[in-house]
Amino acid sequence: MAQAVAGPEIERLIQLLARMPGLGPRSARRAALHLIKKRETLLGPLADAMKVASERIVVCRECGNVDTSDPCTICRDASRDPSILVVVEDVSDLWALERSGAVTARYHVLGGVLSALDGVRPEHLNLASLVDRAGNGEVREIILALNATVDGQTTAHYVTESLSHHGLKVTRLAHGVPVGGELDYLDEGTLSAAIRSRTAF
């Protein structure tokens, strides 16, 4: 068993950082050491920002995004097209689409995907409010921006079925060859999806 190399406060910081996605014990130790070395310019301001965020961050009751206001900044943006609703699995997916600047629609965060293995059922997701929003008379198209996994596609089918009585246009993101991708490096599933989703040139 490895011995502690620092006091309990520093060890706790390392343990908490190690819980972050993409950070293992070694990366957490490096991050903690960097924060400690930059105590005045980084650690202190970060601690203050995290305290403020912890006190002020709320989940938007409209779309499920996280923000410091409810409704969130996106839901309050009058320049967005209210007739298009982009359905995403998680807030990180919403933020990724926003970074791309590809869509100026409104969003709906499901909070996960259906998964028999993990015991995630429809009632565990933000589905009921999606059906309500879809039937408000404003929405004309639902874009399913869910991951191309088995659970993501299962969820997409379930959502489509749940919305079928509204008579809305339901679309999904194209699957296939990424921009700059080389065919030799792509897996068979991606290539098959690209062939099925081919378009006129």
Side-chain angles (χ1 to χ4, degrees):
M1 183 173 147
Q3 286 189 312
V5 294
E9 298 84 1
I10 295 173
E11 286 298 326
R12 182 166 181 260
L13 174 63
I14 293 167
Q15 289 168 7
L16 289 171
L17 286 170
R19 293 184 191 174
M20 300 292 291
L23 284 184
R26 292 175 82 179
S27 299
R29 275 189 162 41
R30 280 196 297 272
L33 193 55
H34 183 73
L35 287 168
I36 291 164
K37 285 179 180 177
K38 305 280 185 182
R39 199 172 342 176
E40 287 78 25
T41 58
L42 193 57
L43 183 59
L46 178 62
D48 292 341
M50 291 176 80
K51 184 177 187 306
V52 171
S54 175
E55 291 167 355
R56 297 189 188 168
I57 287 176
V58 292
V59 176
C60 176
R61 65 178 177 269
E62 187 89 9
C63 72
N65 187 20
V66 291
D67 203 339
T68 52
S69 61
D70 182 18
C72 70
T73 305
I74 292 174
C75 287
R76 287 185 284 112
D77 185 352
S79 69
R80 292 186 175 267
D81 185 351
S83 70
I84 300 174
L85 202 56
V86 182
V87 178
V88 294
E89 176 183 337
D90 196 52
V91 173
S92 60
D93 301 322
L94 184 159
W95 288 2
L97 286 168
E98 279 299 289
R99 280 195 311 273
S100 75
V103 65
T104 55
R106 299 198 184 278
Y107 292 91
H108 190 88
V109 180
L110 291 177
V113 287
L114 298 174
S115 173
L117 277 172
D118 297 326
V120 180
R121 299 171 49 78
E123 59 268 22
H124 298 134
L125 302 180
N126 195 11
L127 284 167
S129 61
L130 171 61
V131 175
D132 290 343
R133 290 181 77 191
N136 69 6
E138 272 190 316
V139 178
R140 299 277 175 265
E141 180 182 0
I142 302 284
I143 300 175
L144 299 175
L146 300 172
N147 293 322
T149 60
V150 172
D151 290 340
Q153 295 311 296
T154 300
T155 306
H157 287 294
Y158 186 89
V159 169
T160 303
E161 188 74 27
S162 301
L163 299 173
S164 60
H165 63 283
H166 286 305
L168 300 171
K169 178 181 181 184
V170 180
T171 59
R172 68 171 188 152
L173 297 184
H175 298 155
V177 180
V179 173
E182 296 181 31
L183 297 184
D184 190 36
Y185 292 100
L186 299 177
D187 63 275
E188 291 79 8
T190 301
L191 286 170
S192 296
I195 293 293
R196 286 195 307 272
S197 304
R198 65 190 183 277
T199 58
F201 186 66

